[in-house]
Amino acid sequence: QVQLVESGGGVVQPGRSLRLSCAASGFSFSTYGMHWVRQAPGKGLEWVAVISYDGRNQYYVESVKGRFTISRDNSKNTLYLQMNSLSADDTAVYYCAKEVTDYDFWTGYRNWGQGTLVTVSS
Amino acid sequence: QSVLTQPPSVSAAPGQKVTISCSGSSSNIGNNYVSWYQQFPGTAPKLLIYDNNKRPSGIPDRFSGSKSGTSATLGITGLQTGDEADYYCGTWDTSLSAGVFGGGTTLTVL
């Protein structure tokens, strides 16, 4: 069965960096687009970024453009989110999510990881 | 402020039917597929509906989705206390080149 396991969260000071990972298994990782979605404490869902199945295309929410970078290593079945210049507004649970349909772009979030908490605080 | 607009809360009695609306614009709902998610406190969201009205395997047919113009609707029939959760709509916004969600709707089964 599909498994997505995020890691790399923790407490980080404002202005510092953090890299999240999402280890995928149970499906053909290299054929699916992948997303990061976050949820601040007590708030709703916020889409963060998407990367195409082949890694050639990436898109970001405006608030993280220039600070966050989504990438993937299809040989390791792993998705990444490099987060730089973190601020308190980035405090959230970060989920990785898999597209519904392979080779397609934005078909919805079929499977989700359990999430990893990022807390930005001095 | 979310790009997609959902009512903050809805409620209905067990066994009844409820609908949750999701309003957008031509750059998102009007020209892209809509999906719906269920989330219980402290857990990851779960896909209920994709491509406006399709259910993934394992989702009961009590859950349905529809879309008309720039609005979408999630319907839940035969309400159960176990349906109490937050529900989110989502789609792609072509103008923003970004995924977007509604603000979420809390369902209470009285």
Side-chain angles (χ1 to χ4, degrees):
Chain A
Q1 72 279 22
V2 172
Q3 270 205 307
L4 299 171
V5 180
E6 301 95 339
S7 60
V11 180
V12 61
Q13 293 179 328
R16 303 298 291 267
S17 299
L18 206 60
R19 188 178 84 155
L20 305 183
S21 299
C22 171
S25 61
F27 68 101
S28 179
F29 180 74
S30 64
T31 66
Y32 283 86
M34 296 293 295
H35 300 258
W36 287 99
V37 176
R38 67 184 178 183
Q39 187 169 34
K43 302 297 184 183
L45 301 174
E46 180 183 35
W47 175 85
V48 175
V50 61
I51 187 167
S52 58
Y53 67 94
D54 56 3
R56 296 173 71 175
N57 296 292
Q58 306 93 34
Y59 296 92
Y60 301 88
V61 68
E62 190 65 36
S63 61
V64 310
K65 284 180 182 176
R67 300 189 301 122
F68 289 13
T69 301
I70 188 172
S71 62
R72 64 191 299 159
D73 186 336
N74 285 347
S75 68
K76 295 183 178 179
N77 289 348
T78 303
L79 175 72
Y80 302 100
L81 186 67
Q82 176 67 43
M83 304 185 295
N84 299 331
S85 303
L86 286 162
S87 73
D89 288 343
D90 298 315
T91 294
V93 173
Y94 285 74
Y95 298 100
C96 64
K98 165 188 162 292
E99 284 273 2
V100 173
T101 305
D102 56 358
Y103 299 111
D104 213 332
F105 186 77
W106 210 95
T107 55
Y109 317 107
R110 179 62 180 92
N111 304 90
W112 299 66
Q114 84 288 352
T116 187
L117 177 61
V118 173
T119 302
V120 183
S121 173
S122 55
Chain B
Q1 194 141 338
S2 303
V3 173
L4 307 180
T5 301
Q6 296 181 234
S9 63
V10 296
S11 62
Q16 297 300 303
K17 174 183 178 178
V18 72
T19 59
I20 299 173
S21 61
C22 177
S23 177
S25 68
S26 58
S27 66
N28 42 67
I29 292 178
N31 284 284
N32 293 289
Y33 286 118
V34 176
S35 54
W36 289 90
Y37 305 86
Q38 177 190 60
Q39 186 181 35
F40 296 105
T43 69
K46 176 182 179 180
L47 178 67
L48 291 178
I49 299 289
Y50 68 100
D51 286 2
N52 302 332
N53 55 18
K54 298 177 182 176
R55 281 177 287 106
S57 59
I59 301 300
D61 59 7
R62 299 189 300 109
F63 296 90
S64 64
S66 64
K67 187 181 100 167
S68 178
T70 59
S71 293
T73 302
L74 173 70
I76 311 173
T77 60
L79 278 172
Q80 304 171 1
T81 56
D83 295 330
E84 288 199 331
D86 292 325
Y87 293 83
Y88 295 89
C89 58
T91 187
W92 182 257
D93 192 296
T94 307
S95 295
L96 298 174
S97 292
V100 290
F101 284 103
T105 298
T106 299
L107 169 63
T108 301
V109 181
L110 303 167

